[in-house]
Amino acid sequence: MSKTNPGHFFEDFRIGQVFDHATPRTITDGDRAVYGAIYPTRFSIPSSAQFAASVGLDPHPVEELIAFHVAFGKTVPDISLNAVANLGYAELRFHQPVLAGDTLRTSSEVIGLKQNSNGKSGVVYVRSTATNQRGEVALDWARWVMVHKRDQNLEAPETVVPELASVVAPEDLVLPTGLDFTSYDLVAAGEAHRFGDYEVGEKIDHVDGVTLSESEHMMATRLWQNTAKVHFNVEARPDGNRLVYGGHVISMARALSFNGLANAQLIAAINGGSHTAPAFAGDTVYAWSEVLDTAELDAPGVGALRLRLVATKGRDESMTLKGDDGKYAPGVLLDLDLWALVPR
């Protein structure tokens, strides 16, 4: 019996199967620094301990997506080591700020299976939960991933596709304890636009672009201890290309959204998301956002914007998501639906 881990293939998964993922990971200020070196992020709360304290967040939290990447990376050896591609997310909620010094560990339950018609792969649906060193939930989410089959001759399992909410209801958003935007410093934040300045249906072209590099996307993926073969090994894909981790595109788009949404300081939830096309080194990523909804919240001075964050390969000034045929427009890499907290 081999002592090495070949990873799970599609036929290895069963509905209700639970994985307690290995290697708990302690978040450090080094993660904050490297994240800022890889992505052009400038949001004031994760950047400035003083600013964070001024809005009631003391100690100083790290960027929410650091917690997501770390927690997600834990799931890869058991869920997606043999992935073709990660496909999407739903019902992701950040339950509390993650601090330097917090240790995250993750578990996942298989909630759905669907073999693809070609018989070579299938889609695995899981619900994952990350807890801190006190056993408190830091974040949880559902995702679905396409995974290779080991034996294409095996019969397909019964198809189970879970029902997932299209949006996290505003009343179900979990706000950080003590969050208070009543004394919010617009000058330090870098933008004057508040909750009431955004309208449903408004689209914002974030203008800036970043060209993906081979070394940076692999460094980022290693930082999160994501071991999926397609991100590192040129022999893992028929075309010989290393696939850029979808989370890398998410963080890049989120960082680019600062230009026009600098006051969208905290991500409270990700309602859903799809990686609509692969990204590779050499692609230049741009982003635009659409305001889908707004909600007033109970925390002092805090409102929420429901935003569609779209990443594209090349800039699309028309900000077109889908064509008349209902298919994603050429160049769309990411379609992410999220709630962000902003000052009222």
Side-chain angles (χ1 to χ4, degrees):
M1 185 175 180
S2 174
K3 291 184 172 62
T4 58
N5 174 25
H8 293 92
F9 291 84
F10 178 70
E11 60 264 41
D12 298 325
F13 293 98
R14 301 287 183 272
I15 298 295
Q17 192 173 12
V18 175
F19 296 92
D20 290 316
H21 305 298
T23 321
R25 170 81 146 73
T26 301
I27 310 298
T28 71
D29 275 321
D31 292 303
R32 190 197 308 273
V34 177
Y35 188 92
I38 296 172
Y39 307 109
T41 183
R42 290 179 284 162
F43 294 98
S44 293
I45 287 177
S47 296
S48 166
Q50 181 182 18
F51 188 99
S54 75
V55 296
L57 300 182
D58 186 11
H60 185 202
V62 299
E63 196 131 1
E64 297 92 345
L65 290 177
I66 290 178
F68 171 70
H69 293 314
V70 168
F72 181 99
K74 302 297 96 188
T75 72
V76 170
D78 294 315
I79 306 300
S80 49
L81 192 63
N82 295 307
V84 181
N86 190 53
L87 299 178
Y89 314 91
E91 300 180 358
L92 190 159
R93 289 193 304 166
F94 294 97
H95 289 258
Q96 56 187 295
V98 172
L99 312 174
D102 282 351
T103 297
L104 299 182
R105 64 185 304 162
T106 310
S107 64
S108 299
E109 179 182 358
V110 179
I111 58 174
L113 294 169
K114 183 179 185 296
Q115 181 166 301
N116 290 327
S117 58
N118 62 14
K120 297 179 180 179
S121 60
V123 179
V124 181
Y125 298 80
V126 297
R127 186 177 299 282
S128 300
T129 303
T131 55
N132 62 21
Q133 67 276 14
R134 295 179 295 276
E136 301 161 341
V137 175
L139 64 151
D140 58 1
W141 72 98
R143 72 152 167 150
W144 47 104
V145 57
M146 190 186 303
V147 180
H148 287 291
K149 287 187 72 174
R150 180 192 296 105
D151 183 353
Q152 297 178 22
N153 295 317
L154 286 178
E155 291 186 10
E158 179 184 357
T159 296
V160 177
V161 177
E163 291 187 14
L164 299 170
S166 60
V167 61
V168 176
E171 59 269 23
D172 292 331
L173 298 176
V174 182
L175 304 186
T177 301
L179 185 67
D180 184 342
F181 280 170
T182 54
S183 299
Y184 189 91
D185 187 343
L186 293 170
V187 174
E191 198 169 81
H193 307 304
R194 293 179 175 269
F195 175 78
D197 296 319
Y198 294 93
E199 297 182 358
V200 174
E202 178 181 359
K203 291 184 177 180
I204 304 160
D205 183 352
H206 300 301
V207 179
D208 307 309
V210 174
T211 302
L212 302 177
S213 71
E214 199 81 273
S215 59
E216 282 185 342
H217 90 77
M218 287 191 294
M219 180 173 68
T221 311
R222 287 194 182 98
L223 179 66
W224 317 126
Q225 298 177 325
N226 181 331
T227 55
K229 300 170 185 176
V230 290
H231 302 317
F232 304 105
N233 187 345
V234 296
E235 297 178 355
R237 287 173 52 93
D239 60 9
N241 289 318
R242 284 176 283 233
L243 181 70
V244 172
Y245 162 48
H248 189 68
V249 178
I250 290 175
S251 277
M252 195 64 73
R254 164 67 173 161
L256 292 172
S257 74
F258 178 90
N259 191 350
L261 283 166
N263 290 324
Q265 285 284 355
L266 298 168
I267 300 175
I270 294 176
N271 299 304
S274 297
H275 298 290
T276 58
F280 301 99
D283 292 348
T284 299
V285 175
Y286 290 82
W288 57 270
S289 293
E290 179 183 3
V291 181
L292 300 178
D293 200 358
T294 64
E296 295 190 10
L297 304 176
D298 290 338
V302 179
L305 298 178
R306 182 183 170 197
L307 302 167
R308 165 172 279 134
L309 175 60
V310 178
T312 61
K313 176 184 174 182
R315 186 178 174 198
D316 176 16
E317 295 183 56
S318 71
M319 294 180 280
T320 300
L321 183 69
K322 294 181 179 180
D324 294 337
D325 58 2
K327 296 181 179 179
Y328 282 101
V332 174
L333 299 173
L334 171 73
D335 178 9
L336 196 70
D337 180 334
L338 60 89
W339 284 108
L341 305 183
V342 299
R344 290 209 303 259

